[in-house]
Amino acid sequence: MVGGVAEEVRIPPVMVGGLLAVPADARAAVVFAHGSGSSRRSPRNQRVAAALFERGFATLLLDLLTEREGASRANVFDVDLLADRLAAAANWLAREGRLRTKPFGFFGASTGAAAALVAASRVDCAPSAIVSRGGRPDLAGVALGRVRAPTLLIVGSRDLAVLDWNRDALARLDCTKELVVVDGATHLFEEPAALERVCDVAGDWFERHLDGAEERPDVRRPQRRR
């Protein structure tokens, strides 16, 4: 569990599973989108989530596909479908009592990063910051040019193909943006201190761009008149 306090949640409309951790007086929220072959229980994303929790961020790790859907490789790389699920999670979070008006960001890994960028490009889903770890922003296609949220791309120096894709994506992004290359790291950031570096730069980015971001309007549904 993230910080030992994560609770199991279900995100409509298809009720995918999630792990939600909310610190006291949460400053903002970060929604995680994992990559292909991973899940909300990814040890790497859980380590990043725990580090963000310690900084006062609520975290939501979730599965973007049901177990049955995940059995199809076509769904795993269906970025539009993944973006739909991520946007649904952000909208669900806007109705979560403790986080209703808090600004939020996306943390995406691999194909989850593409989903985060596509979701962020839509007018009905407006994160205040995005971080990509070993992501595939190239899979976001033309949506890259529509992203307005400050976007941080983190790539290992030894993850050569992904590094090239991220450099190209950086040039196509039309927003506040930065590329951080973690020296000596491969795709999964398994090398000593590599993931700690990810935690540090991601935490700094979210603090810079989520703190002081406009709070979301209260989206509670009005009560019916009797």
Side-chain angles (χ1 to χ4, degrees), residues 1-225:
M1 289 188 179
V2 180
V5 295
E7 59 183 283
E8 295 274 358
V9 296
R10 292 287 173 180
I11 311 295
V14 295
M15 308 311 287
V16 292
L19 290 170
L20 176 66
V22 184
D25 299 321
R27 61 205 300 178
V30 177
V31 183
F32 283 71
H34 63 77
S36 58
S38 188
S39 75
R40 68 186 185 276
R41 302 191 187 280
S42 159
R44 286 174 292 278
N45 279 352
Q46 288 207 358
R47 283 178 63 186
V48 176
L52 294 176
F53 184 90
E54 290 300 317
R55 292 190 186 220
F57 292 105
T59 60
L60 174 62
L61 297 105
L62 71 155
D63 294 335
L64 299 180
L65 299 171
T66 65
E67 184 175 345
R68 182 176 181 179
E69 290 171 336
S72 168
R73 295 296 291 175
N75 288 331
V76 170
F77 289 95
D78 187 338
V79 174
D80 285 330
L81 173 60
L82 302 179
D84 287 344
R85 298 289 170 79
L86 192 56
N91 290 329
W92 174 85
L93 203 64
R95 292 178 172 82
E96 216 286 333
R98 296 161 289 179
L99 302 168
R100 182 176 293 119
T101 61
K102 299 293 184 181
F104 74 98
F106 288 145
F107 183 99
S110 191
T111 51
L117 290 162
V118 172
S121 73
R122 299 174 179 173
V123 295
D124 62 343
C125 182
S128 296
I130 302 169
V131 173
S132 162
R133 173 185 64 80
R136 291 292 309 274
D138 54 299
L139 297 178
V142 296
L144 279 172
R146 298 194 294 266
V147 174
R148 294 295 174 262
T151 300
L152 173 66
L153 308 176
I154 309 172
V155 187
S157 67
R158 296 166 59 194
D159 194 7
L160 300 180
V162 173
L163 182 54
D164 284 343
W165 292 326
N166 275 260
R167 284 173 172 155
D168 180 67
L170 186 74
R172 295 165 61 192
L173 284 166
D174 186 21
C175 59
T176 299
K177 58 190 178 180
E178 186 175 338
L179 171 65
V180 170
V181 180
V182 180
D183 189 44
T186 52
H187 186 62
L188 296 180
F189 296 87
E190 295 175 310
E191 295 73 21
L195 199 57
E196 285 73 12
R197 174 67 172 154
V198 171
C199 294
D200 289 342
V201 296
D204 290 347
W205 189 262
F206 284 130
E207 285 186 351
R208 188 183 317 161
H209 296 289
L210 292 185
D211 285 356
E214 290 188 12
E215 290 194 343
R216 291 184 289 185
D218 194 325
V219 295
R220 284 177 295 185
R221 294 173 182 164
Q223 295 181 347
R224 294 180 180 177
R225 295 181 179 178

